[in-house]
């Protein structure tokens, strides 16, 4: 926030301290920002430490899915719902108008200091600006290599997703109906999956029978999604 207030250019690039940008990232993001209706644009994230552990390899694949399926689909309708912190460019004139709301964000009456990238993206969309995704603007960021830090990160991100969904509810009618479907899926999908797993465990504990229908459904959905990703990315690692 201090840097934005002291800046003078037309565009502001936000980069995490553990992120390394490809040499052409600024150029490619700036080209996307040439249209005055675009308030923010993000690049594609990859794990710079992908080869360290089995977890970092999985997270790198998760990032590919999040960027090239979720963000890419949202960008078709000009409304990427979260321009991720590691690499995002903003229109400075829009930032200055939103900065007070951004700096004083509250949740349930208390200052909120998590999920700032998603919150700022929602504010951009509420201001009537488009948010975009640039797949060939590559940013490599360090990801957790142990399960404990990863789970803490995911919990923080989940809190941000649920909180900012409440903020975005009034915004959704002004966006394409696909975005409503996407937000519903993001919020209900994990809850339904957790409910299915719990119901299956309860069936196993109470009746000593394996919940094959739930197991096969979850396995089938996983195989289909990973197969589609392997085909689109031309990378067998997704299998």
């Amino acid at each position: 926030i201090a840097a934005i207030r002291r800046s003078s250019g037309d565009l502001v690039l936000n980069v995490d301290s553990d992120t390394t940008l490809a040499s052409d990232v600024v150029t490619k993001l700036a080209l996307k920002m040439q249209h005055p209706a675009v308030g923010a644009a993000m690049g594609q994230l990859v794990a710079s430490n992908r080869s360290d552990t089995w977890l970092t390899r999985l997270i790198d694949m998760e990032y590919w899915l999040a960027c090239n399926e979720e963000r890419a689909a949202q960008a078709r309708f000009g409304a990427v719902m979260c321009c991720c912190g590691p690499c995002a460019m903003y229109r400075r004139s829009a930032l200055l108008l939103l900065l007070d709301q951004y700096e004083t964000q509250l949740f349930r009456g208390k200052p909120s200091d998590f999920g700032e990238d998603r919150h700022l993206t929602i504010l951009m969309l509420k201001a009537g600006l488009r948010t975009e995704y640039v797949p060939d603007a590559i940013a490599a960021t360090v990801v957790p290599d142990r399960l404990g830090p990863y789970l803490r990160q995911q919990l923080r991100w989940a809190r941000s997703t649920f909180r900012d969904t409440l903020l975005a509810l009034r915004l959704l009618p002004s966006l394409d109906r696909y975005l409503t479907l996407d937000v519903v899926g993001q919020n209900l999908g994990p809850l339904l999956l957790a409910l299915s797993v719990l119901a299956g465990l309860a069936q196993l504990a109470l009746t000593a029978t394996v919940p094959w229908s739930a197991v096969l459904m979850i396995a089938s959905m996983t195989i289909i999604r990973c197969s589609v990703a392997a085909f689109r990315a031309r990378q067998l690692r997704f299998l």
Side-chain angles (χ1 to χ4, degrees):
I1 290 171
I4 292 167
R5 288 197 168 124
R6 295 181 64 176
S7 65
S8 58
D10 294 331
L11 305 173
V12 174
L13 181 67
N14 184 86
V15 185
D16 277 358
S17 60
D18 60 358
T19 299
T20 304
L21 302 182
S23 59
D24 57 357
V25 164
V26 172
T27 301
K28 289 179 175 177
L29 290 178
L31 284 172
K32 180 64 73 173
M33 300 290 293
Q34 283 185 324
H35 196 291
V38 177
M42 67 167 283
Q44 180 176 179
L45 304 183
V46 299
S48 59
N49 57 334
R50 163 183 155 183
S51 58
D52 285 1
T53 66
W54 64 270
L55 180 61
T56 57
R57 288 192 290 273
L58 288 173
I59 294 174
D60 184 63
M61 288 186 277
E62 181 186 19
Y63 277 16
W64 190 95
L65 291 167
C67 290
N68 295 295
E69 287 191 344
E70 180 187 310
R71 296 323 194 269
Q74 293 170 350
R76 288 288 296 271
F77 304 100
V80 173
M81 301 301 285
C82 178
C83 289
C84 299
C87 177
M89 183 174 280
Y90 298 93
R91 191 169 303 283
R92 181 172 167 271
S93 58
L95 277 179
L96 292 177
L97 295 175
L98 301 170
L99 215 51
D100 288 339
Q101 295 180 65
Y102 178 54
E103 189 173 11
T104 59
Q105 59 177 305
L106 302 174
F107 183 62
R108 297 175 64 186
K110 297 179 180 179
S112 178
D113 59 358
F114 59 88
E116 67 284 352
D117 50 1
R118 183 178 291 273
H119 186 76
L120 183 55
T121 307
I122 297 296
L123 291 178
M124 284 281 176
L125 290 170
K126 288 181 72 176
L129 295 166
R130 294 171 60 90
T131 53
E132 296 283 356
Y133 168 61
V134 183
D136 55 351
I138 308 296
T141 189
V142 178
V143 301
D145 58 3
R146 290 179 295 114
L147 204 53
Y150 173 71
L151 291 175
R152 287 193 295 273
Q153 178 199 65
Q154 291 300 303
L155 179 61
R156 189 173 70 249
W157 288 0
R159 290 168 63 202
S160 168
T161 299
F162 287 119
R163 179 200 66 187
D164 284 300
T165 294
L166 297 176
L167 183 67
L169 287 179
R170 293 181 181 177
L171 170 68
L172 289 176
S174 65
L175 303 176
D176 190 276
R177 283 178 292 182
Y178 169 79
L179 275 304
T180 301
L181 177 65
D182 186 69
V183 168
V184 170
Q186 275 195 48
N187 286 272
L188 288 186
L191 297 177
L192 292 173
L193 179 60
L195 184 62
S196 299
V197 172
L198 290 174
L201 292 174
Q203 178 181 328
L204 185 64
L206 296 175
T207 67
T209 59
V210 177
W212 286 113
S213 58
V215 170
L216 291 174
M217 179 60 73
I218 293 172
S220 299
M221 291 170 67
T222 303
I223 291 169
I224 290 169
R225 186 174 190 199
C226 291
S227 298
V228 171
F231 175 76
R232 291 190 64 233
R234 304 292 193 270
Q235 297 176 19
L236 288 177
R237 64 188 179 124
F238 285 93
L239 298 178

